[in-house]
Amino acid sequence: MAHPLRILIVGAGIGGLSTASALARIGARVDVIDDKPEISVAGVGFGLRINGLRAVRDIGLLEDVFAIGHPAPGIDNYDADGNFLSNMSYGTRDEGLPGCVTMSRIAFLELAAKHALANGCTFRMSTTVADIAQDADKATVTFSSGDSADYDLVLGFDGLHSQIRREYFGEKYAPRPVGGVAWRAGLPNRRKIMQPIICQGYGGKIMLTPLSEDLMYMVLTVAEEGRPRYDASKMAEIMHDRAADLTRGSEFLSDALEDVRHAENVAYTPYSTVWVPYPWFRGRVMILGDAAHTMTPYLGSGAAMSIEDGVVLAQELAKDQSLLDAQLNFMKRRLPRVRAVHE
């Protein structure tokens, strides 16, 4: 596509910010909006395996990711009493890349935002889409502030509860609860663990993942019916009690459980999935990342799939082809790959 593309990204999360840099690198003029007043994210940490690391390498973020991340060669599995069960390796190094790197979510977002700004992207926070009017040449977006701008393409990277998906693809693709929930908290890495630990508890799992020599995060996954809401001031104690139930008073992980009582950043997330069938576009409006294909965190691939979406879209938009052909070729490459992981 010959002229510099004007592209709007709705959502300043992992996928949206990574895609902003990918598109800026092919010469696109990129605006990013988000409904939050500042860049933030639910949760504490996440990991990128080799496919995700290849994707951040393609947008020039690999060395910075290594600087903020922690290489994780595999996962050690234990029972609730602390008996070692097995080790699951993330595999040997390939193309000079480790099998997995874990990192802080907010550190990655800050890094990706800084990179996007350095590449000429612009940001507008506390801003949403009020309307999109499309014609043969452009999509005119009216913002919640009342002003408007013309774009060649509008990308909805606005996550599980995507406004763009709901308004332009329909309510039938709303999130579907899967029955599990996650409790997350950042904790001191007192054990100096070097790779993730999973405790197979009674009725759920506890996972500890190092983010650095001094910091780790705990994820507790259990089944909870009804998706209750909890008093924010009691979240740390509730998370502690859920974890204690899983270990039934075992001394294993007792130090980490005690640290949960004092955690100030406990996040509670009911698990849901989204799958939007072919195609992920309606004219000049597209949805990508979790807006199109939210998957459960058990797979450890949601972030990587979102980043890959942006890398592949940029590759197709950089070719000498029409926007429609770029969209169709994007779908041809992405749909089978994402479906294989999602299912």
Side-chain angles (χ1 to χ4, degrees):
M1 304 183 70
H3 67 284
L5 294 169
R6 283 292 311 274
I7 299 177
L8 175 67
I9 295 177
V10 182
I14 291 173
L17 293 177
S18 300
T19 299
S21 286
L23 293 170
R25 287 166 68 91
I26 66 166
R29 291 181 288 172
V30 182
D31 295 337
V32 181
I33 66 170
D34 198 280
D35 60 353
K36 297 185 292 296
E38 58 186 17
I39 290 174
S40 62
V41 65
V44 182
F46 74 106
L48 289 176
R49 300 183 193 175
I50 285 181
N51 62 313
L53 295 174
R54 291 192 188 104
V56 296
R57 180 181 61 191
D58 287 345
I59 58 177
L61 284 176
L62 183 62
E63 294 305 318
D64 290 324
V65 163
F66 285 159
I68 66 169
H70 179 87
I75 299 174
D76 287 333
N77 292 283
Y78 294 85
D79 66 16
D81 296 317
N83 298 306
F84 178 77
L85 300 176
S86 64
N87 172 267
M88 183 183 75
S89 172
Y90 283 125
T92 58
R93 294 180 70 91
D94 186 24
E95 301 176 24
L97 302 174
C100 182
V101 173
T102 58
M103 68 204 81
S104 160
R105 285 180 176 266
I106 191 62
F108 181 87
L109 289 184
E110 290 171 349
L111 168 64
K114 180 180 178 181
H115 197 262
L117 287 168
N119 279 288
C121 303
T122 64
F123 287 73
R124 293 179 60 172
M125 307 304 289
S126 299
T127 302
T128 59
V129 170
D131 183 65
I132 303 176
Q134 300 189 64
D135 61 30
D137 299 316
K138 63 186 180 301
T140 300
V141 178
T142 302
F143 298 104
S144 53
S145 54
D147 59 322
S148 62
D150 294 337
Y151 295 95
D152 296 292
L153 191 58
V154 177
L155 304 179
F157 267 102
D158 47 342
L160 175 67
H161 300 290
S162 168
Q163 173 203 358
I164 302 300
R165 182 189 65 239
R166 182 177 66 253
E167 295 185 2
Y168 297 92
F169 291 74
E171 292 283 359
K172 61 184 175 181
Y173 302 122
R176 300 179 59 183
V178 297
V181 302
W183 293 82
R184 298 180 174 93
L187 304 173
N189 187 4
R190 301 189 191 282
R191 294 168 173 250
K192 303 301 181 185
I193 61 174
M194 300 301 293
Q195 65 183 32
I197 292 174
I198 290 181
C199 169
Q200 307 287 342
Y202 297 94
K205 298 180 181 180
I206 301 171
M207 185 172 187
L208 302 179
T209 301
L211 300 176
S212 68
E213 184 177 340
D214 300 315
L215 179 66
M216 66 180 182
Y217 73 98
M218 175 186 286
V219 179
L220 166 68
T221 59
V222 293
E224 289 191 15
E225 298 297 331
R227 299 194 164 202
R229 292 184 176 274
Y230 296 103
D231 183 336
S233 66
K234 299 178 181 178
M235 295 278 276
E237 194 65 32
I238 295 171
M239 181 176 176
H240 169 271
D241 292 347
R242 295 284 192 279
D245 288 344
L246 295 186
T247 59
R248 294 186 179 177
S250 166
E251 286 299 308
F252 184 54
L253 305 184
S254 60
D255 55 338
L257 267 60
E258 185 59 30
D259 283 333
V260 170
R261 290 183 185 273
H262 310 289
E264 298 178 353
N265 58 348
V266 173
Y268 169 78
T269 310
Y271 287 158
S272 297
T273 61
V274 167
W275 179 255
V276 178
Y278 179 95
W280 298 339
F281 60 89
R282 300 289 187 268
R284 295 177 179 272
V285 177
M286 296 185 73
I287 52 173
L288 301 98
D290 280 354
H293 49 74
T294 306
M295 51 193 72
T296 64
Y298 303 120
L299 300 174
S301 298
M305 290 295 103
S306 294
I307 299 170
E308 282 188 1
D309 280 354
V311 170
V312 173
L313 180 63
Q315 290 172 351
E316 292 300 329
L317 291 174
K319 296 177 182 177
D320 184 14
Q321 58 184 343
S322 68
L323 174 60
L324 177 58
D325 284 340
Q327 293 171 309
L328 292 172
N329 287 327
F330 167 85
M331 292 302 305
K332 183 177 180 180
R333 294 173 61 184
R334 292 303 293 159
L335 188 67
R337 178 171 174 81
V338 178
R339 180 190 283 135
V341 176
H342 192 279
E343 296 179 351

